[in-house]
């Protein structure tokens, strides 16, 4: 496809959470309709044209969904391979399945990143408990054990301070295939949100500085307190990853800042929580940028016109929304989730702290 997707076309979005919701709103602004595929509750469906509520192993439902869409994208990366097979029978998927397959598995992902010559934490596979001593010898301690698949917001992880802690840490992962990662002594965590268009053009946003609480992103601040050389390095790293994957869409790349330079932690083949600041900081935000990329539009410029702090509203934080909304320069986003639960992302605010 070389022409941009025609107005009125239907974009399928796998996953109906807040990222899908914000993608659907951006798509609507560009003249498209969205069809959400989501088995559970779907904040995205509230702002979309259609919703298929079915499981990812319901191949008939997937087939019907795919046939109703001109293009399919996703807001989360754990889509099973058989589902991808069915979708691809009729409808193009962006970003394509290689990006998903590489990022779904931490071992494949780290091996891919190291293969590009990028710095990562030292890592080693743990398929069975017998692999533990060799793996910890390779990474040294302290280390972090992580399940290879299905980890998010710090879940599926256990710290190992000394080799003697290893067996208990591994047991907490309940037999899932894992990797050991050497502990990176970082001063800051940053992320780059970058996009690659169907024509290979790359556009990146300024790196943001991330603070996590209990493994969940709490705030992202732009500009990150980094020298220009490191900001440039971060963007170049993201571009290498996008180009090596022949990627189409928006990606979030998480990096550690260390005295020896930047170390790549992981990347997500989708719009990213740490890119929400672009909604108030840039003319084209990450959601519109993703829709532009996959629909074959020219990419928006990543230039930033404001300094911004994005704050996630997690669980009961959402009760502060009235006072936050009364602050000048604060943009409020609520995800329309009926039930407030601890650790649940209920919304976020973007606070403009000054001109860029
Ligand atoms: P992840 O799920 O890989 O993004 O990890 C969640 C958080 O754990 C990261 O944001 C870091 O704060 C921390 N973390 C993950 N891997 C490492 C590592 N190898 N060394 C130090 N901290 C880490």
């Amino acid at each position: 496809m070389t022409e941009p997707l025609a107005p009125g076309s239907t974009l399928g979005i796998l996953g109906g959470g807040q990222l899908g919701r914000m993608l659907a709103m951006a798509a609507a602004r560009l003249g498209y309709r969205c069809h959400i595929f989501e088995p559970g509750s779907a904040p995205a469906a509230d702002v979309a044209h259609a919703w298929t509520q079915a499981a990812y192993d319901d191949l008939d439902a997937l087939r019907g969904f795919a046939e109703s869409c001109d293009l399919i994208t996703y807001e989360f990366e754990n889509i099973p391979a058989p589902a991808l097979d069915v979708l691809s029978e009729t409808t193009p998927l962006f970003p394509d399945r290689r990006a998903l397959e590489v990022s779904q598995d931490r071992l494949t992902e780290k091996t891919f990143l190291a293969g590009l010559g990028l710095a990562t934490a030292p890592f080693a596979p743990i398929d069975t408990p017998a692999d533990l001593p060799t793996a910890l010898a390779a990474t040294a301690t302290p280390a972090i054990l992580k399940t290879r698949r299905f980890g998010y917001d710090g879940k599926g992880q256990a710290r190992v301070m000394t080799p003697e802690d290893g067996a208990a840490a591994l047991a907490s992962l309940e037999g899932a295939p894992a990797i050991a990662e050497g502990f990176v002594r970082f001063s800051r965590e940053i992320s780059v949100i970058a996009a690659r268009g169907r024509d290979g053009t790359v556009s990146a946003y300024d790196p943001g500085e991330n603070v996590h609480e209990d493994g969940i992103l709490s705030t992202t601040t732009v500009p990150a307190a980094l020298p220009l050389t490191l900001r440039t390095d971060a963007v170049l790293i993201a571009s290498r990853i996008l180009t090596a994957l022949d990627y189409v869409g928006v990606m979030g790349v998480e990096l550690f800042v260390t005295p020896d330079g930047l170390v790549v932690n992981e990347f997500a083949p989708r719009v990213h929580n740490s890119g929400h600041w672009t909604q108030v900081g840039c003319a084209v935000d990450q959601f519109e940028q993703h829709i532009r990329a996959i629909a074959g539009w020219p990419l928006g410029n990543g230039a930033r016109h404001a300094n911004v702090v994005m704050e996630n509203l997690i669980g009961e934080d959402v009760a502060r929304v009235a006072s936050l909304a009364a602050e000048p320069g604060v943009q409020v986003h609520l995800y329309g989730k009926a039930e407030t639960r601890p650790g649940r992302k209920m919304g976020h605010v973007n606070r403009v702290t000054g001109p860029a």
Side-chain angles (χ1 to χ4, degrees), residues 168-230:
L170 188 61
S172 76
L173 303 185
E174 300 176 340
I179 65 168
E181 277 185 32
F183 198 81
V184 177
R185 293 187 194 283
F186 58 83
S187 56
R188 301 172 190 285
E189 292 187 75
I190 63 165
S191 55
V192 180
I193 310 300
R196 187 167 175 278
R198 297 242 291 256
D199 61 356
T201 321
V202 170
S203 174
Y205 296 105
D206 210 6
E209 184 166 334
N210 300 323
V211 174
H212 296 86
E213 277 173 29
D214 300 326
I216 303 176
L217 183 68
S218 172
T219 60
T220 300
T221 302
V222 281
L226 283 184
L228 184 61
T229 49
L230 285 185

Side-chain angles (χ1 to χ4, degrees), residues 245-261:
L245 288 170
D246 201 17
Y247 190 88
V248 175
V250 164
M251 171 184 283
V253 183
E254 298 181 26
L255 305 131
F256 299 127
V257 181
T258 79
D260 303 322

Side-chain angles (χ1 to χ4, degrees), residues 302-341:
R304 185 170 58 77
H305 56 71
N307 295 344
V308 185
V309 179
M310 186 287 306
E311 182 188 351
N312 270 336
L313 303 178
I314 296 167
E316 289 299 335
D317 288 346
V318 73
R320 289 169 32 228
V321 76
S323 65
L324 288 166
E327 276 182 49
V330 167
Q331 182 190 62
V332 177
H333 295 258
L334 294 178
Y335 306 148
K337 297 181 183 176
E339 198 191 331
T340 306
R341 281 191 236 127

Side-chain angles (χ1 to χ4, degrees), residues 262-284:
L262 299 175
V263 172
V264 185
N265 177 26
E266 61 182 4
F267 65 87
R270 54 169 169 77
V271 287
H272 199 258
N273 192 169
S274 68
H276 292 357
W277 66 266
T278 58
Q279 292 172 313
V280 77
C282 303
V284 172

Side-chain angles (χ1 to χ4, degrees), residues 1-5 71 94 196-201 248 293-296:
M1 285 188 284
T2 48
E3 283 294 302
L5 191 66
L71 205 65
F94 293 112
R196 187 167 175 278
R198 297 242 291 256
D199 61 356
T201 321
V248 175
I294 65 173

